[in-house]
PDB file of all heavy atoms in Angstrom:
ATOM      1  N   PRO B   1      13.666  15.593  27.702  1.00 55.00           N
ATOM      2  CA  PRO B   1      13.952  14.622  26.638  1.00 55.00           C
ATOM      3  C   PRO B   1      14.629  15.302  25.438  1.00 55.00           C
ATOM      4  O   PRO B   1      14.293  16.415  25.052  1.00 55.00           O
ATOM      5  CB  PRO B   1      12.568  14.092  26.262  1.00 55.00           C
ATOM      6  CG  PRO B   1      11.619  15.137  26.743  1.00 55.00           C
ATOM      7  CD  PRO B   1      12.231  15.760  27.961  1.00 55.00           C
ATOM      8  N   ARG B   2      15.603  14.593  24.885  1.00 63.00           N
ATOM      9  CA  ARG B   2      16.338  15.130  23.765  1.00 63.00           C
ATOM     10  C   ARG B   2      15.424  15.091  22.499  1.00 63.00           C
ATOM     11  O   ARG B   2      14.416  14.432  22.475  1.00 63.00           O
ATOM     12  CB  ARG B   2      17.570  14.304  23.497  1.00 63.00           C
ATOM     13  CG  ARG B   2      17.304  12.843  23.214  1.00 63.00           C
ATOM     14  CD  ARG B   2      18.571  12.061  22.967  1.00 63.00           C
ATOM     15  NE  ARG B   2      18.295  10.644  22.741  1.00 63.00           N
ATOM     16  CZ  ARG B   2      17.911  10.152  21.590  1.00 63.00           C
ATOM     17  NH1 ARG B   2      17.760  10.933  20.525  1.00 63.00           N
ATOM     18  NH2 ARG B   2      17.689   8.856  21.462  1.00 63.00           N
ATOM     19  N   ARG B   3      15.887  15.788  21.533  1.00 75.00           N
ATOM     20  CA  ARG B   3      15.111  15.870  20.263  1.00 75.00           C
ATOM     21  C   ARG B   3      15.158  14.529  19.543  1.00 75.00           C
ATOM     22  O   ARG B   3      16.260  13.931  19.391  1.00 75.00           O
ATOM     23  CB  ARG B   3      15.686  16.981  19.359  1.00 75.00           C
ATOM     24  CG  ARG B   3      14.930  17.175  18.061  1.00 75.00           C
ATOM     25  CD  ARG B   3      15.530  18.317  17.279  1.00 75.00           C
ATOM     26  NE  ARG B   3      14.827  18.562  16.032  1.00 75.00           N
ATOM     27  CZ  ARG B   3      15.154  19.504  15.149  1.00 75.00           C
ATOM     28  NH1 ARG B   3      16.182  20.323  15.443  1.00 75.00           N
ATOM     29  NH2 ARG B   3      14.436  19.621  14.047  1.00 75.00           N
ATOM     30  N   ALA B   4      14.033  14.061  19.102  1.00 80.00           N
ATOM     31  CA  ALA B   4      13.972  12.774  18.446  1.00 80.00           C
ATOM     32  C   ALA B   4      14.571  12.839  17.033  1.00 80.00           C
ATOM     33  O   ALA B   4      14.437  13.840  16.348  1.00 80.00           O
ATOM     34  CB  ALA B   4      12.532  12.289  18.362  1.00 80.00           C
ATOM     35  N   SER B   5      15.254  11.807  16.675  1.00 87.00           N
ATOM     36  CA  SER B   5      15.847  11.754  15.330  1.00 87.00           C
ATOM     37  C   SER B   5      14.836  11.288  14.319  1.00 87.00           C
ATOM     38  O   SER B   5      13.763  10.744  14.650  1.00 87.00           O
ATOM     39  CB  SER B   5      17.043  10.791  15.353  1.00 87.00           C
ATOM     40  OG  SER B   5      16.616   9.470  15.609  1.00 87.00           O
ATOM     41  N   VAL B   6      15.178  11.471  13.043  1.00 88.00           N
ATOM     42  CA  VAL B   6      14.280  11.033  11.970  1.00 88.00           C
ATOM     43  C   VAL B   6      14.109   9.535  11.995  1.00 88.00           C
ATOM     44  O   VAL B   6      13.043   8.992  11.739  1.00 88.00           O
ATOM     45  CB  VAL B   6      14.850  11.493  10.595  1.00 88.00           C
ATOM     46  CG1 VAL B   6      13.975  10.981   9.476  1.00 88.00           C
ATOM     47  CG2 VAL B   6      14.941  13.015  10.536  1.00 88.00           C
ATOM     48  N   ALA B   7      15.204   8.834  12.334  1.00 90.00           N
ATOM     49  CA  ALA B   7      15.160   7.376  12.415  1.00 90.00           C
ATOM     50  C   ALA B   7      14.167   6.891  13.494  1.00 90.00           C
ATOM     51  O   ALA B   7      13.447   5.922  13.283  1.00 90.00           O
ATOM     52  CB  ALA B   7      16.528   6.789  12.677  1.00 90.00           C
ATOM     53  N   GLU B   8      14.135   7.574  14.643  1.00 92.00           N
ATOM     54  CA  GLU B   8      13.234   7.213  15.702  1.00 92.00           C
ATOM     55  C   GLU B   8      11.763   7.409  15.295  1.00 92.00           C
ATOM     56  O   GLU B   8      10.885   6.563  15.559  1.00 92.00           O
ATOM     57  CB  GLU B   8      13.513   8.004  16.972  1.00 92.00           C
ATOM     58  CG  GLU B   8      14.817   7.608  17.651  1.00 92.00           C
ATOM     59  CD  GLU B   8      15.142   8.466  18.862  1.00 92.00           C
ATOM     60  OE1 GLU B   8      14.918   9.691  18.768  1.00 92.00           O
ATOM     61  OE2 GLU B   8      15.578   7.933  19.857  1.00 92.00           O
ATOM     62  N   ILE B   9      11.499   8.561  14.652  1.00 93.00           N
ATOM     63  CA  ILE B   9      10.134   8.839  14.189  1.00 93.00           C
ATOM     64  C   ILE B   9       9.715   7.824  13.125  1.00 93.00           C
ATOM     65  O   ILE B   9       8.580   7.314  13.132  1.00 93.00           O
ATOM     66  CB  ILE B   9      10.030  10.276  13.707  1.00 93.00           C
ATOM     67  CG1 ILE B   9      10.316  11.264  14.822  1.00 93.00           C
ATOM     68  CG2 ILE B   9       8.664  10.530  13.098  1.00 93.00           C
ATOM     69  CD1 ILE B   9      10.349  12.706  14.389  1.00 93.00           C
ATOM     70  N   THR B  10      10.640   7.528  12.215  1.00 94.00           N
ATOM     71  CA  THR B  10      10.366   6.548  11.146  1.00 94.00           C
ATOM     72  C   THR B  10      10.039   5.173  11.776  1.00 94.00           C
ATOM     73  O   THR B  10       9.108   4.473  11.352  1.00 94.00           O
ATOM     74  CB  THR B  10      11.532   6.428  10.205  1.00 94.00           C
ATOM     75  OG1 THR B  10      11.783   7.719   9.598  1.00 94.00           O
ATOM     76  CG2 THR B  10      11.256   5.417   9.109  1.00 94.00           C
ATOM     77  N   GLU B  11      10.799   4.779  12.789  1.00 94.00           N
ATOM     78  CA  GLU B  11      10.581   3.513  13.437  1.00 94.00           C
ATOM     79  C   GLU B  11       9.223   3.464  14.120  1.00 94.00           C
ATOM     80  O   GLU B  11       8.546   2.413  14.057  1.00 94.00           O
ATOM     81  CB  GLU B  11      11.697   3.242  14.463  1.00 94.00           C
ATOM     82  CG  GLU B  11      11.668   1.850  15.032  1.00 94.00           C
ATOM     83  CD  GLU B  11      11.980   0.776  14.041  1.00 94.00           C
ATOM     84  OE1 GLU B  11      12.628   1.065  13.010  1.00 94.00           O
ATOM     85  OE2 GLU B  11      11.506  -0.378  14.259  1.00 94.00           O
ATOM     86  N   ASN B  12       8.833   4.567  14.711  1.00 94.00           N
ATOM     87  CA  ASN B  12       7.520   4.610  15.395  1.00 94.00           C
ATOM     88  C   ASN B  12       6.374   4.496  14.375  1.00 94.00           C
ATOM     89  O   ASN B  12       5.358   3.898  14.671  1.00 94.00           O
ATOM     90  CB  ASN B  12       7.359   5.910  16.199  1.00 94.00           C
ATOM     91  CG  ASN B  12       8.201   5.874  17.455  1.00 94.00           C
ATOM     92  OD1 ASN B  12       8.441   4.816  18.009  1.00 94.00           O
ATOM     93  ND2 ASN B  12       8.626   7.034  17.926  1.00 94.00           N
ATOM     94  N   VAL B  13       6.610   5.084  13.191  1.00 96.00           N
ATOM     95  CA  VAL B  13       5.550   4.971  12.150  1.00 96.00           C
ATOM     96  C   VAL B  13       5.493   3.541  11.630  1.00 96.00           C
ATOM     97  O   VAL B  13       4.391   2.966  11.457  1.00 96.00           O
ATOM     98  CB  VAL B  13       5.893   5.922  10.981  1.00 96.00           C
ATOM     99  CG1 VAL B  13       4.911   5.720   9.825  1.00 96.00           C
ATOM    100  CG2 VAL B  13       5.804   7.387  11.478  1.00 96.00           C
ATOM    101  N   LEU B  14       6.635   2.915  11.424  1.00 96.00           N
ATOM    102  CA  LEU B  14       6.682   1.531  10.911  1.00 96.00           C
ATOM    103  C   LEU B  14       6.059   0.545  11.889  1.00 96.00           C
ATOM    104  O   LEU B  14       5.503  -0.432  11.525  1.00 96.00           O
ATOM    105  CB  LEU B  14       8.068   1.118  10.551  1.00 96.00           C
ATOM    106  CG  LEU B  14       8.714   1.841   9.341  1.00 96.00           C
ATOM    107  CD1 LEU B  14      10.144   1.385   9.175  1.00 96.00           C
ATOM    108  CD2 LEU B  14       7.889   1.574   8.042  1.00 96.00           C
ATOM    109  N   ASP B  15       6.212   0.852  13.222  1.00 95.00           N
ATOM    110  CA  ASP B  15       5.632  -0.021  14.209  1.00 95.00           C
ATOM    111  C   ASP B  15       4.114  -0.046  14.154  1.00 95.00           C
ATOM    112  O   ASP B  15       3.476  -1.006  14.597  1.00 95.00           O
ATOM    113  CB  ASP B  15       6.033   0.472  15.600  1.00 95.00           C
ATOM    114  CG  ASP B  15       7.467   0.161  15.914  1.00 95.00           C
ATOM    115  OD1 ASP B  15       8.060  -0.661  15.210  1.00 95.00           O
ATOM    116  OD2 ASP B  15       8.052   0.778  16.819  1.00 95.00           O
ATOM    117  N   ARG B  16       3.514   0.982  13.592  1.00 96.00           N
ATOM    118  CA  ARG B  16       2.047   1.072  13.472  1.00 96.00           C
ATOM    119  C   ARG B  16       1.538   0.742  12.091  1.00 96.00           C
ATOM    120  O   ARG B  16       0.355   0.864  11.816  1.00 96.00           O
ATOM    121  CB  ARG B  16       1.596   2.462  13.866  1.00 96.00           C
ATOM    122  CG  ARG B  16       1.801   2.793  15.331  1.00 96.00           C
ATOM    123  CD  ARG B  16       1.825   4.271  15.621  1.00 96.00           C
ATOM    124  NE  ARG B  16       1.884   4.596  17.043  1.00 96.00           N
ATOM    125  CZ  ARG B  16       3.025   4.506  17.744  1.00 96.00           C
ATOM    126  NH1 ARG B  16       4.128   4.155  17.171  1.00 96.00           N
ATOM    127  NH2 ARG B  16       3.028   4.778  19.068  1.00 96.00           N
ATOM    128  N   LEU B  17       2.424   0.306  11.213  1.00 96.00           N
ATOM    129  CA  LEU B  17       2.116  -0.006   9.828  1.00 96.00           C
ATOM    130  C   LEU B  17       2.055  -1.528   9.617  1.00 96.00           C
ATOM    131  O   LEU B  17       2.884  -2.241  10.141  1.00 96.00           O
ATOM    132  CB  LEU B  17       3.160   0.610   8.901  1.00 96.00           C
ATOM    133  CG  LEU B  17       3.139   0.154   7.428  1.00 96.00           C
ATOM    134  CD1 LEU B  17       1.820   0.629   6.725  1.00 96.00           C
ATOM    135  CD2 LEU B  17       4.360   0.641   6.676  1.00 96.00           C
ATOM    136  N   SER B  18       1.057  -1.948   8.860  1.00 96.00           N
ATOM    137  CA  SER B  18       0.962  -3.353   8.473  1.00 96.00           C
ATOM    138  C   SER B  18       0.630  -3.431   6.969  1.00 96.00           C
ATOM    139  O   SER B  18      -0.340  -2.746   6.527  1.00 96.00           O
ATOM    140  CB  SER B  18      -0.126  -4.072   9.289  1.00 96.00           C
ATOM    141  OG  SER B  18      -0.260  -5.412   8.868  1.00 96.00           O
ATOM    142  N   VAL B  19       1.400  -4.193   6.241  1.00 96.00           N
ATOM    143  CA  VAL B  19       1.191  -4.314   4.773  1.00 96.00           C
ATOM    144  C   VAL B  19       1.154  -5.796   4.448  1.00 96.00           C
ATOM    145  O   VAL B  19       2.079  -6.564   4.859  1.00 96.00           O
ATOM    146  CB  VAL B  19       2.310  -3.625   4.004  1.00 96.00           C
ATOM    147  CG1 VAL B  19       2.052  -3.777   2.496  1.00 96.00           C
ATOM    148  CG2 VAL B  19       2.395  -2.147   4.401  1.00 96.00           C
ATOM    149  N   TYR B  20       0.163  -6.216   3.712  1.00 93.00           N
ATOM    150  CA  TYR B  20       0.090  -7.637   3.353  1.00 93.00           C
ATOM    151  C   TYR B  20      -0.738  -7.803   2.059  1.00 93.00           C
ATOM    152  O   TYR B  20      -1.540  -6.914   1.697  1.00 93.00           O
ATOM    153  CB  TYR B  20      -0.535  -8.456   4.465  1.00 93.00           C
ATOM    154  CG  TYR B  20      -1.934  -8.067   4.862  1.00 93.00           C
ATOM    155  CD1 TYR B  20      -3.077  -8.649   4.301  1.00 93.00           C
ATOM    156  CD2 TYR B  20      -2.133  -7.004   5.773  1.00 93.00           C
ATOM    157  CE1 TYR B  20      -4.356  -8.224   4.636  1.00 93.00           C
ATOM    158  CE2 TYR B  20      -3.418  -6.613   6.156  1.00 93.00           C
ATOM    159  CZ  TYR B  20      -4.497  -7.244   5.585  1.00 93.00           C
ATOM    160  OH  TYR B  20      -5.767  -6.825   5.907  1.00 93.00           O
ATOM    161  N   ARG B  21      -0.531  -8.906   1.390  1.00 92.00           N
ATOM    162  CA  ARG B  21      -1.268  -9.212   0.168  1.00 92.00           C
ATOM    163  C   ARG B  21      -2.615  -9.824   0.520  1.00 92.00           C
ATOM    164  O   ARG B  21      -2.717 -10.701   1.391  1.00 92.00           O
ATOM    165  CB  ARG B  21      -0.442 -10.141  -0.705  1.00 92.00           C
ATOM    166  CG  ARG B  21      -1.107 -10.499  -2.035  1.00 92.00           C
ATOM    167  CD  ARG B  21      -0.263 -11.503  -2.791  1.00 92.00           C
ATOM    168  NE  ARG B  21      -0.830 -11.853  -4.070  1.00 92.00           N
ATOM    169  CZ  ARG B  21      -0.392 -12.793  -4.875  1.00 92.00           C
ATOM    170  NH1 ARG B  21       0.666 -13.519  -4.494  1.00 92.00           N
ATOM    171  NH2 ARG B  21      -0.987 -13.043  -6.027  1.00 92.00           N
ATOM    172  N   ARG B  22      -3.640  -9.451  -0.200  1.00 89.00           N
ATOM    173  CA  ARG B  22      -4.984  -9.981  -0.023  1.00 89.00           C
ATOM    174  C   ARG B  22      -5.140 -11.283  -0.776  1.00 89.00           C
ATOM    175  O   ARG B  22      -5.382 -11.303  -1.972  1.00 89.00           O
ATOM    176  CB  ARG B  22      -6.017  -8.985  -0.510  1.00 89.00           C
ATOM    177  CG  ARG B  22      -6.342  -7.845   0.451  1.00 89.00           C
ATOM    178  CD  ARG B  22      -7.212  -8.371   1.548  1.00 89.00           C
ATOM    179  NE  ARG B  22      -7.747  -7.290   2.398  1.00 89.00           N
ATOM    180  CZ  ARG B  22      -8.562  -7.507   3.385  1.00 89.00           C
ATOM    181  NH1 ARG B  22      -8.955  -8.710   3.704  1.00 89.00           N
ATOM    182  NH2 ARG B  22      -8.982  -6.524   4.135  1.00 89.00           N
ATOM    183  N   GLY B  23      -4.946 -12.378  -0.055  1.00 87.00           N
ATOM    184  CA  GLY B  23      -5.119 -13.690  -0.700  1.00 87.00           C
ATOM    185  C   GLY B  23      -4.191 -13.859  -1.853  1.00 87.00           C
ATOM    186  O   GLY B  23      -3.002 -13.592  -1.801  1.00 87.00           O
ATOM    187  N   GLU B  24      -4.748 -14.335  -2.983  1.00 84.00           N
ATOM    188  CA  GLU B  24      -3.962 -14.544  -4.221  1.00 84.00           C
ATOM    189  C   GLU B  24      -4.191 -13.439  -5.237  1.00 84.00           C
ATOM    190  O   GLU B  24      -3.857 -13.589  -6.396  1.00 84.00           O
ATOM    191  CB  GLU B  24      -4.346 -15.919  -4.825  1.00 84.00           C
ATOM    192  CG  GLU B  24      -4.105 -17.101  -3.952  1.00 84.00           C
ATOM    193  CD  GLU B  24      -2.624 -17.274  -3.592  1.00 84.00           C
ATOM    194  OE1 GLU B  24      -1.779 -16.969  -4.471  1.00 84.00           O
ATOM    195  OE2 GLU B  24      -2.295 -17.687  -2.448  1.00 84.00           O
ATOM    196  N   SER B  25      -4.813 -12.367  -4.770  1.00 86.00           N
ATOM    197  CA  SER B  25      -5.142 -11.272  -5.723  1.00 86.00           C
ATOM    198  C   SER B  25      -3.939 -10.363  -5.909  1.00 86.00           C
ATOM    199  O   SER B  25      -2.872 -10.526  -5.322  1.00 86.00           O
ATOM    200  CB  SER B  25      -6.335 -10.496  -5.166  1.00 86.00           C
ATOM    201  OG  SER B  25      -5.948  -9.812  -3.986  1.00 86.00           O
ATOM    202  N   ARG B  26      -4.143  -9.328  -6.724  1.00 88.00           N
ATOM    203  CA  ARG B  26      -3.154  -8.284  -6.941  1.00 88.00           C
ATOM    204  C   ARG B  26      -3.283  -7.150  -5.924  1.00 88.00           C
ATOM    205  O   ARG B  26      -2.579  -6.152  -6.017  1.00 88.00           O
ATOM    206  CB  ARG B  26      -3.299  -7.693  -8.356  1.00 88.00           C
ATOM    207  CG  ARG B  26      -3.150  -8.649  -9.482  1.00 88.00           C
ATOM    208  CD  ARG B  26      -3.421  -7.927 -10.800  1.00 88.00           C
ATOM    209  NE  ARG B  26      -3.325  -8.808 -11.928  1.00 88.00           N
ATOM    210  CZ  ARG B  26      -2.201  -9.039 -12.600  1.00 88.00           C
ATOM    211  NH1 ARG B  26      -1.082  -8.475 -12.177  1.00 88.00           N
ATOM    212  NH2 ARG B  26      -2.192  -9.869 -13.621  1.00 88.00           N
ATOM    213  N   VAL B  27      -4.172  -7.290  -4.986  1.00 91.00           N
ATOM    214  CA  VAL B  27      -4.480  -6.235  -4.023  1.00 91.00           C
ATOM    215  C   VAL B  27      -3.542  -6.313  -2.823  1.00 91.00           C
ATOM    216  O   VAL B  27      -3.349  -7.400  -2.268  1.00 91.00           O
ATOM    217  CB  VAL B  27      -5.940  -6.282  -3.553  1.00 91.00           C
ATOM    218  CG1 VAL B  27      -6.218  -5.218  -2.511  1.00 91.00           C
ATOM    219  CG2 VAL B  27      -6.860  -6.109  -4.781  1.00 91.00           C
ATOM    220  N   ILE B  28      -2.982  -5.161  -2.454  1.00 94.00           N
ATOM    221  CA  ILE B  28      -2.163  -5.028  -1.239  1.00 94.00           C
ATOM    222  C   ILE B  28      -2.892  -4.140  -0.238  1.00 94.00           C
ATOM    223  O   ILE B  28      -3.371  -3.074  -0.613  1.00 94.00           O
ATOM    224  CB  ILE B  28      -0.788  -4.433  -1.586  1.00 94.00           C
ATOM    225  CG1 ILE B  28       0.018  -5.419  -2.444  1.00 94.00           C
ATOM    226  CG2 ILE B  28      -0.016  -4.130  -0.284  1.00 94.00           C
ATOM    227  CD1 ILE B  28       1.386  -4.896  -2.796  1.00 94.00           C
ATOM    228  N   ALA B  29      -3.032  -4.650   0.964  1.00 95.00           N
ATOM    229  CA  ALA B  29      -3.694  -3.888   2.029  1.00 95.00           C
ATOM    230  C   ALA B  29      -2.674  -3.123   2.823  1.00 95.00           C
ATOM    231  O   ALA B  29      -1.634  -3.686   3.189  1.00 95.00           O
ATOM    232  CB  ALA B  29      -4.502  -4.822   2.922  1.00 95.00           C
ATOM    233  N   ILE B  30      -2.986  -1.835   3.095  1.00 96.00           N
ATOM    234  CA  ILE B  30      -2.122  -0.984   3.907  1.00 96.00           C
ATOM    235  C   ILE B  30      -2.985  -0.540   5.100  1.00 96.00           C
ATOM    236  O   ILE B  30      -3.964   0.159   4.966  1.00 96.00           O
ATOM    237  CB  ILE B  30      -1.651   0.270   3.106  1.00 96.00           C
ATOM    238  CG1 ILE B  30      -0.901  -0.192   1.856  1.00 96.00           C
ATOM    239  CG2 ILE B  30      -0.776   1.162   3.990  1.00 96.00           C
ATOM    240  CD1 ILE B  30      -0.561   0.953   0.934  1.00 96.00           C
ATOM    241  N   SER B  31      -2.553  -0.931   6.283  1.00 96.00           N
ATOM    242  CA  SER B  31      -3.313  -0.555   7.490  1.00 96.00           C
ATOM    243  C   SER B  31      -2.389   0.117   8.510  1.00 96.00           C
ATOM    244  O   SER B  31      -1.203  -0.203   8.617  1.00 96.00           O
ATOM    245  CB  SER B  31      -3.952  -1.806   8.119  1.00 96.00           C
ATOM    246  OG  SER B  31      -2.967  -2.700   8.599  1.00 96.00           O
ATOM    247  N   PHE B  32      -2.993   1.052   9.242  1.00 96.00           N
ATOM    248  CA  PHE B  32      -2.290   1.752  10.288  1.00 96.00           C
ATOM    249  C   PHE B  32      -3.084   1.689  11.599  1.00 96.00           C
ATOM    250  O   PHE B  32      -4.313   1.667  11.556  1.00 96.00           O
ATOM    251  CB  PHE B  32      -2.117   3.252   9.914  1.00 96.00           C
ATOM    252  CG  PHE B  32      -0.807   3.522   9.222  1.00 96.00           C
ATOM    253  CD1 PHE B  32      -0.755   3.614   7.820  1.00 96.00           C
ATOM    254  CD2 PHE B  32       0.336   3.752   9.921  1.00 96.00           C
ATOM    255  CE1 PHE B  32       0.456   3.854   7.164  1.00 96.00           C
ATOM    256  CE2 PHE B  32       1.566   4.028   9.278  1.00 96.00           C
ATOM    257  CZ  PHE B  32       1.584   4.052   7.913  1.00 96.00           C
ATOM    258  N   THR B  33      -2.345   1.576  12.679  1.00 95.00           N
ATOM    259  CA  THR B  33      -2.949   1.591  13.997  1.00 95.00           C
ATOM    260  C   THR B  33      -2.594   2.888  14.700  1.00 95.00           C
ATOM    261  O   THR B  33      -1.451   3.339  14.711  1.00 95.00           O
ATOM    262  CB  THR B  33      -2.392   0.406  14.860  1.00 95.00           C
ATOM    263  OG1 THR B  33      -2.696  -0.813  14.199  1.00 95.00           O
ATOM    264  CG2 THR B  33      -3.060   0.389  16.239  1.00 95.00           C
ATOM    265  N   SER B  34      -3.623   3.501  15.352  1.00 94.00           N
ATOM    266  CA  SER B  34      -3.411   4.791  16.024  1.00 94.00           C
ATOM    267  C   SER B  34      -4.376   4.868  17.190  1.00 94.00           C
ATOM    268  O   SER B  34      -5.390   4.198  17.236  1.00 94.00           O
ATOM    269  CB  SER B  34      -3.618   5.954  15.031  1.00 94.00           C
ATOM    270  OG  SER B  34      -3.477   7.191  15.726  1.00 94.00           O
ATOM    271  N   THR B  35      -4.031   5.793  18.091  1.00 91.00           N
ATOM    272  CA  THR B  35      -4.937   6.058  19.228  1.00 91.00           C
ATOM    273  C   THR B  35      -6.073   6.993  18.808  1.00 91.00           C
ATOM    274  O   THR B  35      -6.969   7.250  19.636  1.00 91.00           O
ATOM    275  CB  THR B  35      -4.161   6.697  20.363  1.00 91.00           C
ATOM    276  OG1 THR B  35      -3.490   7.890  19.887  1.00 91.00           O
ATOM    277  CG2 THR B  35      -3.109   5.740  20.917  1.00 91.00           C
ATOM    278  N   ASP B  36      -6.063   7.473  17.597  1.00 93.00           N
ATOM    279  CA  ASP B  36      -7.139   8.343  17.066  1.00 93.00           C
ATOM    280  C   ASP B  36      -7.658   7.718  15.789  1.00 93.00           C
ATOM    281  O   ASP B  36      -6.916   7.380  14.880  1.00 93.00           O
ATOM    282  CB  ASP B  36      -6.560   9.741  16.779  1.00 93.00           C
ATOM    283  CG  ASP B  36      -7.651  10.687  16.330  1.00 93.00           C
ATOM    284  OD1 ASP B  36      -7.887  10.790  15.110  1.00 93.00           O
ATOM    285  OD2 ASP B  36      -8.274  11.379  17.204  1.00 93.00           O
TER     286      ASP B  36
END
């Protein structure tokens, strides 16, 4: 396999990232999914 580009690694990270606002508050939740 060829060497992965920065864009590919970035895309893989973003695929495991979820960001959303908590209700009507000022709080933003940042969650990550991983096999570990």
